[in-house]
Amino acid sequence: MRTADEPTSPATRGGEEGPETGRDAIIRAARRAFTLKPYAEVTMRGIAAAAGVSPSLIVKRFGTKEALFNTVVDFRPAAAELFTAPLPGLGRHLVLTMVDLRDRLRGDPLLRVVFSLGIEDERTLLRARFREQITDRLTGILTGPEARLRAELIAGQLLGLGATLSLHRPDGATAHATVERLADLYAPGIQHLVDGP
């Protein structure tokens, strides 16, 4: 698995790629930029350089820096994949999907909510979107008492999984474990929260 720090492949350079590849490279670079720098310090030119595309391609695909930021703080695509399983198997599905999303996106789909260094307004927006699109959506799916509390704890478990994978890959034990084994060990705790008392 590549990290967000690694250079993009030649296929993403100069806009000579399939329509989704260039878009994905731009979003990855923008996520990293908006996580590591305040909004005012992020430039389209810097994102373009990190993505291996021209600044004009970013403008063509997203329009403005504000529109790109709004795309980056949108957790709905991840939520659409994370919350598609029936409740009895949701814990395992969440673990398997998180690992799959990390591999496909070449970065964690949720952790930016924790590590954003933006000014207070940006962090507040990012956290509000996370609550609305992840925690609130999960609350609406869960049944039984304390659904909100359980949803928040499940979100925390997913963030913890992402942090663990980021900290211990590529040379830790998680790098050598299969995704199925990770799910065997991690999913029961999440499933207990899904099931409730």
Side-chain angles (χ1 to χ4, degrees):
M1 167 175 22
R2 271 190 330 119
T3 66
D5 297 296
E6 293 176 307
T8 57
S9 68
T12 62
R13 300 254 172 227
E16 298 176 11
E17 75 296 13
E20 288 306 304
T21 307
R23 183 180 191 281
D24 292 346
I26 293 165
I27 290 173
R28 278 194 306 275
R31 280 182 178 153
R32 183 161 177 77
F34 287 121
T35 297
L36 297 177
K37 296 179 182 179
Y39 180 88
E41 294 179 18
V42 174
T43 66
M44 299 284 257
R45 188 174 302 280
I47 292 170
V53 300
S54 68
S56 62
L57 181 62
I58 298 179
V59 172
K60 178 180 177 184
R61 295 256 169 97
F62 297 94
T64 64
K65 183 169 90 167
E66 181 181 4
L68 181 56
F69 177 76
N70 284 326
T71 300
V72 166
V73 299
D74 187 359
F75 295 97
R76 286 176 297 186
E81 294 191 48
L82 286 167
F83 304 138
T84 58
L87 290 179
L90 185 59
R92 186 171 192 83
H93 173 80
L94 288 171
V95 174
L96 296 174
T97 304
M98 277 291 291
V99 175
D100 178 61
L101 284 170
R102 287 177 56 85
D103 289 344
R104 280 191 286 130
L105 300 174
R106 298 182 187 131
D108 193 275
L110 304 179
L111 272 181
R112 63 190 181 276
V113 74
V114 177
F115 296 113
S116 175
L117 297 179
I119 61 172
E120 190 59 35
D121 287 347
E122 295 150 21
R123 288 194 309 266
T124 299
L125 173 63
L126 191 63
R127 290 174 184 167
R129 293 267 178 95
F130 185 88
R131 275 192 306 273
E132 172 192 325
Q133 296 170 357
I134 299 293
T135 311
D136 291 351
R137 182 167 175 180
L138 183 54
T139 300
I141 293 169
L142 298 177
T143 60
E146 300 180 306
R148 176 71 182 190
L149 174 60
R150 289 161 40 225
E152 289 179 6
L153 293 172
I154 292 167
Q157 293 278 358
L158 294 176
L159 291 170
L161 176 60
T164 298
L165 294 175
S166 294
L167 287 170
H168 298 292
R169 285 193 175 185
D171 56 357
T174 55
H176 304 292
T178 67
V179 66
E180 293 293 330
R181 185 61 182 147
L182 292 175
D184 290 343
L185 294 170
Y186 206 82
I190 296 177
Q191 189 63 47
H192 177 71
L193 293 169
V194 170
D195 295 338

